[in-house]
Amino acid sequence: MTAHELRAWAPDGLPEVVPGDDLVALVVAALRADPEPSHALVDGDVVVVTSKVVSKADGRVVAADDREQAITDETVRVVATREHPGGVTRIVENRLGLVMAAAGVDASNTPEGTVLLLPVDPDASARALRAGLRAAFGVRVGVLVTDTAGRPWRQGVTDLTIGAAGVQVLDDLRGQVDTFGRALTMTVAAVADEVASAAELVKGKASGRPVAVVRGVGHLVTDDDGPGARVLVRTGPDDMFHQGSAEAYAQGWKDALAGDGAPGAAR
């Protein structure tokens, strides 16, 4: 199924979140305070929450002076590095399996002198939010926790899903046919990421609206919490870009020298 009509809105009224806050209660209060009657949650809605407020509530805040160390601590594998006048940008795989600049450690929308780490378990946070929304409103909704990331070969950043509960995150179209009757053999749509990006259009980066509701994708909302967003991460043999170009080149020389030869040497 596909959505033929989509609505998205971001309620006002969520206060600045600080460590120890009950995020479920804050989100429920913001949704209840929305004065627009048509914005009342209904079955099939997807509530999209920016990961920063999850991190703040969970106390994932560190001093800005420790940012580089925090990146190192969150790093599982260095993918690529690039030197520039301001320092070094590190593209790494973090503890969540996500490949991101600076391991997702972020200095935006956080008090001066601090940076934010990503949530410890975004899927668990999404499940807790979903349970709280169901208890408060009595409706069957899905929840996504999102973060902003760049993409290889594309300028700009976009939001993607790092935590999910009650949402089908992938739509496997293989085996179906296109409009010309040809079988689809490769298409698996990252529908949770598409919903995350749609929500970001109404949340924005600096509007102080970290929660959005997306309506019209009820066919993606599931009865159970589901496997979460971890299944969106491409790993192992499916990861065709395991290293940056400079790192791959250096590894090639290292492997060649270890084999008593150099790239291009006659044998």
Side-chain angles (χ1 to χ4, degrees):
M1 295 180 63
T2 58
H4 299 290
E5 182 179 20
L6 202 66
R7 292 183 62 197
W9 63 90
D12 197 5
L14 199 78
E16 177 64 29
V17 177
V18 298
D21 275 348
D22 184 340
L23 185 60
V24 173
L26 293 178
V27 173
V28 167
L31 293 172
R32 279 183 171 155
D34 192 325
E36 172 55 52
S38 67
H39 289 178
L41 284 188
V42 299
D43 285 348
D45 284 347
V46 177
V47 178
V48 184
V49 180
T50 301
S51 64
K52 286 183 177 63
V53 294
V54 178
S55 294
K56 289 177 181 179
D58 290 347
R60 299 279 286 164
V61 184
V62 298
D65 290 345
D66 298 330
R67 184 173 190 264
E68 292 304 315
Q69 184 59 50
I71 295 171
T72 299
D73 292 343
E74 294 295 304
T75 294
V76 172
R77 172 175 63 90
V78 176
V79 176
T81 59
R82 179 68 59 85
E83 294 186 8
H84 52 82
V88 178
T89 294
R90 288 186 274 172
I91 308 297
V92 307
E93 178 186 342
N94 63 25
R95 295 176 184 274
L96 301 175
L98 302 169
V99 175
M100 309 179 84
V105 178
D106 199 345
S108 64
N109 291 306
T110 185
E112 187 69 27
T114 65
V115 294
L116 290 174
L117 312 182
L118 290 176
V120 172
D121 189 342
D123 284 330
S125 298
R127 292 192 294 269
L129 283 162
R130 186 187 192 218
L133 292 170
R134 175 178 288 179
F137 296 103
V139 291
R140 176 176 166 271
V141 299
V143 171
L144 300 179
V145 175
T146 65
D147 195 51
T148 303
R151 301 154 298 157
W153 310 295
R154 302 288 288 181
Q155 295 289 352
V157 296
T158 188
D159 265 31
L160 49 78
T161 296
I162 67 169
V167 178
Q168 177 186 337
V169 297
L170 291 169
D171 189 10
D172 191 344
L173 302 177
R174 292 172 296 184
Q176 299 186 31
V177 295
D178 65 15
T179 55
F180 291 92
R182 291 188 291 263
L184 299 173
T185 60
M186 299 291 291
T187 306
V188 181
V191 287
D193 286 347
E194 293 175 330
V195 174
S197 291
E200 182 57 22
L201 292 174
V202 295
K203 287 189 295 176
K205 299 298 182 192
S207 64
R209 295 172 182 257
V211 177
V213 180
V214 177
R215 180 170 295 169
V217 289
H219 61 286
L220 300 177
V221 175
T222 59
D223 290 330
D224 60 7
D225 285 333
R230 188 75 185 204
V231 298
L232 289 164
V233 179
R234 190 185 294 250
T235 59
D238 290 335
D239 182 1
M240 297 177 65
F241 309 100
H242 191 72
Q243 292 177 304
S245 57
E247 287 72 22
Y249 187 78
Q251 185 65 49
W253 272 100
K254 181 179 179 181
D255 291 346
L257 293 171
D260 296 323
R267 294 185 181 277

